[in-house]
């Protein structure tokens, strides 16, 4: 995924390898998927850099846990939740002693994964002349926007106006022609939905969906 021609197919394949037979989510491929997406976002222009900086900061926090002394605890989402909750390592009411817990950091990426799912679904099913920026804005308003203050929502919707047309977008994905790109999205989406669903259920079970 680093260097050479960049295909969104490889990036989305990372989400396919996230889920184990025991239906656990592996954090290694999850973060590799996000790294690839950010790389793709960077290629869309400097106007998106405030978004990619925030995503990178969150990926880096998680990578430091996954490569740190307690890396075994951070192998899967499930082991991370167990470890952090049993050790009192998550700020549940307000950010204080553990402002950057793995649980709250993944929650931000998890919400963004819902945006990605809606955006890719929109892109896949839209008419050829559909506006990518409208698809992106609708997906954002139906997901992440609820968690962002006005100023972030404003900056994000201004940035979305710079998105290329649907066909140009499908082309930069670098997976062949528009038909192939649409087919690839159809193959990738069930895996993204699966990762999202498992995470949502886990977080709901442990009352972690509103972490500050
Ligand atoms: C063929 C389609 C391929 C699509 C490829 C898309 C590539 C997208 C890559 C990365 C997505 C960005 C993920 C953003 C994570 C945002 C996490 C977040 O919500 N952070 C906020 C809260 O954090 P805390 O303050 O609580 O720590 C933070 O305030 C956010 C700041 C930045 C603005 C985030 C706007 C998010 C818009 C997401 C849409 C990206 C648009 C990409 C256009 C293709």
């Amino acid at each position: 995924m680093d260097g050479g021609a960049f295909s969104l197919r490889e990036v989305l394949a990372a989400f396919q390898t996230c889920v184990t037979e025991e239906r656990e989510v592996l954090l290694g491929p999850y973060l590799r998927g996000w790294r690839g997406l950010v790389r793709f976002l960077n290629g869309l222009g400097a106007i998106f850099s405030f978004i990619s900086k925030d995503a990178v900061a969150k990926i880096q926090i998680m990578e430091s846990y996954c490569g740190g002394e307690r890396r075994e605890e951070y192998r899967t989402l499930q082991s991370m939740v167990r470890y952090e909750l049993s050790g009192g390592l998550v700020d549940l009411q307000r950010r204080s002693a553990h402002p950057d817990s793995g649980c709250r950091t993944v929650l931000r990426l998890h919400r963004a994964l819902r945006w990605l799912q809606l955006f890719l679904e929109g892109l896949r099913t839209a008419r050829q002349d559909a506006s990518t920026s409208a698809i992106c804005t609708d997906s954002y308003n139906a997901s992440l926007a609820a968690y962002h203050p006005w100023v972030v929502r404003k900056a994000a919707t201004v940035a979305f106006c710079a998105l290329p047309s649907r066909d140009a977008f499908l082309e930069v994905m670098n997976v062949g022609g528009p038909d192939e790109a649409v087919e690839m999205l159809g193959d990738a989406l069930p895996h993204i939905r699966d990762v999202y669903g498992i995470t949502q259920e886990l977080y709901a079970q442990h009352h972690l969906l509103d972490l500050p």
Side-chain angles (χ1 to χ4, degrees), residues 8 12 34 37-38 40-41 44 48 50-52 54-55 58 95 104 108-109 111-112 115-116 119-120 123 136 140 144 147-149 152 156 160 163 169-170 173 185 212:
L8 201 69
L12 297 183
W34 276 111
L37 287 169
V38 166
F40 185 84
L41 186 62
L44 293 177
F48 296 101
F50 75 104
I51 301 177
S52 67
D54 185 72
K58 288 171 171 55
R95 286 180 93 185
R104 77 89 64 188
R108 270 59 186 174
L109 294 174
R111 290 169 178 164
W115 161 80
L116 181 73
F119 180 58
L120 297 184
L123 210 55
C136 190
Y140 176 72
L144 272 175
Y147 306 100
H148 290 163
V152 170
F160 297 159
L163 286 172
F169 212 98
L170 293 177
M173 283 164 54
L185 289 179

